[in-house]
Amino acid sequence: MDTVLVIPGDGFGPSVVDIAVKTLEAVSTGIDLIPGEIGYAAYEKSTQDITLETLEALAESKGVLCGPCRARTDDRGKTHDPLDILKTHMSLFAMMRRFKSYRPGGPRVALDLWASITAVGRDTVETAELGGITLTKYVRTSNYDRTMGLAYSIMKVHSRNRIACISSDDIFPESSRLFREEFDSIFGEGFETEHMNVAEWSEDAVMHPERFDAVICADLYSRMAAGVMAGITGGNHLSPYLYPGEKGSLLYTNRIDDFPKDRAAYANPTAAIASAAMLMQAMGRVPGADAVFRALEETYAEGSATPDMGGNLTTAEFADRFFRHLRTLSFIRAPHITGG
């Protein structure tokens, strides 16, 4: 029995995470789903950013499915990001985002973006000086090695062979050299690899977004690379985060900061559904994950979409159509979602 901690999150989070949970239940058996609380919900209940019950469940969980969560700012102006709590307790060392184009007629993109995680205050430190600020960044070779090693294993399983390694000699030449050396030591025979400057890759990605299956970038450039791919595939909110760790993986559904409150019933559940599929992949449940991605593709192919993707369906209506396709893929347990 695999235990999965489910954290609904804030705002529209509970509605889309509920669809992700029903997706897991539809295509997988032997999963024990445990509810948890972090962020505002936890603070209002326990005056802590994570409840004791959630911490205990986290220690036993093989994976965490988490909805969008807001950071809390205390009376001293300090920001408490609930995701940082999860990253610390789970010893998460890498980030992977899957960018996929679902809109019919758009570019056929399916790209995994990999980067290692750096901890602010440990690996990156800002020190106020007279007349300015000194920024110190410590590069951990072990982070590069673990991140690339995991990426290698996953790409081998899924036959994703075309890989770009992006860095920038004109900004940090020594760390870029180290990054490339680590990459070359891991990705050898059986892969089509190319080293690219971050600016060169950005231009190439816009012109030929389908050229690579995966991109591995130094952590400094991961946000920029994600922005480029989000613009190509329809928005950041469509691509969830996978954070692998020593004991399990965290799947985080990206939030939409400017989503109108009066349209919360129209939130796009695509990232939440993809989160469920990626969590199944991380737990070795590949056939079910493949069925979920295929059902999601078929839902968009028939023209079903929420307003952010040019349609007019509510969250629940989109989910109904998705589960209809999932049922046809021999997973007859897929539920029917109603309500809004």
Side-chain angles (χ1 to χ4, degrees):
M1 178 74 72
D2 291 327
T3 300
V4 172
L5 178 64
V6 179
I7 301 172
D10 306 314
F12 64 86
S15 65
V16 297
V17 170
D18 181 62
I19 295 169
V21 167
K22 288 181 169 61
T23 300
L24 287 174
E25 293 173 337
V27 296
S28 292
T29 58
I31 294 181
D32 187 18
L33 299 166
I34 306 297
E37 294 176 308
I38 61 173
Y40 277 96
Y43 191 79
E44 291 175 353
K45 181 177 180 179
S46 64
T47 68
Q48 300 293 324
D49 292 298
I50 184 169
T51 64
L52 178 60
E53 295 81 2
T54 301
L55 274 175
E56 291 174 346
L58 186 62
E60 304 298 325
S61 297
K62 191 169 183 179
V64 178
L65 189 62
C66 184
C69 297
R70 291 181 298 163
R72 180 180 65 85
T73 303
D74 62 25
D75 295 337
R76 295 174 296 175
K78 182 180 179 181
T79 299
H80 300 261
D81 188 339
L83 285 185
D84 287 341
I85 297 173
L86 293 176
K87 291 175 184 177
T88 300
H89 282 280
M90 296 179 70
S91 299
L92 305 177
F93 60 84
M95 178 207 75
M96 189 269 272
R97 296 191 65 187
R98 177 157 298 161
F99 291 93
K100 191 172 180 61
S101 53
Y102 294 103
R103 192 194 303 270
R108 304 313 303 161
V109 179
L111 181 140
D112 293 344
L113 171 65
W114 287 87
S116 58
I117 294 177
T118 56
V120 177
R122 184 197 67 182
D123 301 323
T124 304
V125 179
E126 288 185 332
T127 305
E129 308 283 356
L130 183 63
I133 294 175
T134 298
L135 175 64
T136 303
K137 186 175 186 299
Y138 181 69
V139 175
R140 296 179 182 270
T141 308
S142 60
N143 278 13
Y144 287 166
D145 185 64
R146 288 191 296 176
T147 299
M148 294 182 190
L150 181 60
Y152 173 92
S153 300
I154 291 177
M155 291 178 206
K156 272 290 188 183
V157 169
H158 297 285
S159 299
R160 303 177 67 81
N161 301 323
R162 302 170 301 165
I163 310 169
C165 173
I166 62 175
S167 57
S168 182
D169 278 344
D170 53 346
I171 300 179
F172 295 109
E174 290 304 312
S175 61
S176 293
R177 177 187 56 79
L178 175 63
F179 184 76
R180 290 195 301 272
E181 289 176 353
E182 287 293 318
F183 178 87
D184 289 338
S185 70
I186 293 175
F187 292 93
E189 186 176 350
F191 291 93
E192 299 176 25
T193 63
E194 185 171 344
H195 292 288
M196 302 182 76
N197 177 277
V198 61
E200 175 191 7
W201 172 84
S202 300
E203 179 181 355
D204 184 79
V206 173
M207 299 296 292
H208 308 287
E210 74 291 340
R211 182 179 172 196
F212 294 105
D213 298 318
V215 168
I216 298 182
C217 64
D219 45 48
L220 183 66
Y221 313 114
S222 62
R223 287 182 179 270
M224 187 215 66
V228 171
M229 295 310 303
I232 293 171
T233 55
N236 254 312
H237 67 291
L238 298 174
S239 302
Y241 292 79
L242 164 66
Y243 295 102
E246 300 293 346
K247 297 181 179 179
S249 298
L250 165 65
L251 272 298
Y252 176 66
T253 301
N254 206 1
R255 67 177 303 110
I256 310 174
D257 292 320
D258 59 352
F259 198 86
K261 291 182 180 180
D262 60 348
R263 290 180 56 197
Y266 291 87
N268 191 327
T270 295
I273 294 170
S275 289
M278 291 167 67
L279 180 57
M280 284 188 284
Q281 287 179 331
M283 294 191 299
R285 299 164 181 259
V286 176
D290 290 344
V292 170
F293 279 122
R294 182 177 169 189
L296 197 53
E297 291 172 358
E298 292 180 357
T299 303
Y300 275 105
E302 72 177 10
S304 297
T306 46
D308 60 300
M309 293 291 280
N312 58 6
L313 297 182
T314 65
T315 305
E317 290 169 341
F318 182 91
D320 268 339
R321 300 192 184 191
F322 161 74
F323 284 119
R324 184 189 68 201
H325 286 287
L326 194 57
R327 282 193 295 270
T328 67
L329 297 173
S330 77
F331 289 94
I332 60 175
R333 298 174 58 249
H336 179 73
I337 305 297
T338 59

